[in-house]
Amino acid sequence: MTHRIGHGFDVHAFKDGDHVMLGGVRVSHDRGIDAHSDGDVVLHALCDALLGALALGDIGQHFPPSDPRWKDCDSRVFLRHCAGLLHERGWHVSNADITVLAEAPKVGPHRDAMRAVIAAELGIEIDRISVKATTTEKLGYIGRREGLAAEAVVLLDRILR
């Protein structure tokens, strides 16, 4: 068996709105996300981690923000694409560990729903997906509630024949 590790990070600023998308889940919030797609930092960071582990670039190469096809796109489309690339190459997600960095909204009430969406999209068991959150103790742009971010780490496995 062989392994690969990937790391991803994404950040978006807030704008006027009434919700954010996190891990494929619509979360009520007093702000929206300023992004070309739906701005789901969880799925964007996860996609970058998967693409990085595969040495296939980053989400911007696969889904350029300059391309109008991706305007307001559901980020699960991006995750499905990455999952397809994994499976085509014989790789499987052993586990994914995702951290949301935000003062608000609270992630805890939505954690299991996010894990379920991600596991379903990747075709793996929910216990292979970790979603957690932290604040920045009111420091920086996140602490000032100007935006939010996420980072993801994945471990991929492939059985050698």
Side-chain angles (χ1 to χ4, degrees), residues 14 17-33 40 42 100 104-111 113-114 148:
F14 287 131
D18 63 0
H19 74 281
V20 296
M21 295 301 296
L22 292 173
V25 176
R26 182 184 170 107
V27 176
S28 293
H29 189 51
D30 61 356
R31 307 294 310 273
I33 294 293
D40 189 327
V42 169
V100 179
K106 295 293 184 195
V107 168
H110 310 283
R111 178 185 337 270
M114 290 182 219
L148 73 167

Side-chain angles (χ1 to χ4, degrees), residues 1 5 8 10-11 13 19-20 25 29 46-47 67-68 76 91 104 108 116-117 126 130 152:
M1 183 176 283
I5 297 171
D10 193 51
V11 61
H19 74 281
V20 296
V25 176
H29 189 51
L46 179 57
C47 286
D67 188 332
R76 290 177 297 178
W91 290 95
V117 167
I126 195 169
S130 170

Side-chain angles (χ1 to χ4, degrees), residues 6-12 40-50 58-59 98-101 136 141-142 148-153:
H7 176 262
F9 178 82
D10 193 51
V11 61
H12 285 291
D40 189 327
V41 294
V42 169
L43 296 188
H44 294 185
L46 179 57
C47 286
D48 268 349
L50 294 168
D58 61 41
I59 194 170
I98 304 155
T99 303
V100 179
L101 295 94
T136 59
Y141 65 90
I142 292 171
L148 73 167
E151 59 183 344
V153 178

Side-chain angles (χ1 to χ4, degrees), residues 32-87:
I33 294 293
D34 190 10
H36 185 68
S37 68
D38 66 4
D40 189 327
V41 294
V42 169
L43 296 188
H44 294 185
L46 179 57
C47 286
D48 268 349
L50 294 168
L51 291 168
L54 293 171
L56 292 176
D58 61 41
I59 194 170
Q61 289 175 272
H62 292 256
F63 303 97
S66 58
D67 188 332
R69 288 182 296 169
W70 312 124
K71 179 71 177 147
D72 300 322
C73 184
D74 182 334
S75 293
R76 290 177 297 178
V77 170
F78 305 159
L79 185 55
R80 287 177 198 136
H81 171 78
C82 294
L85 293 172
L86 277 172
H87 296 128

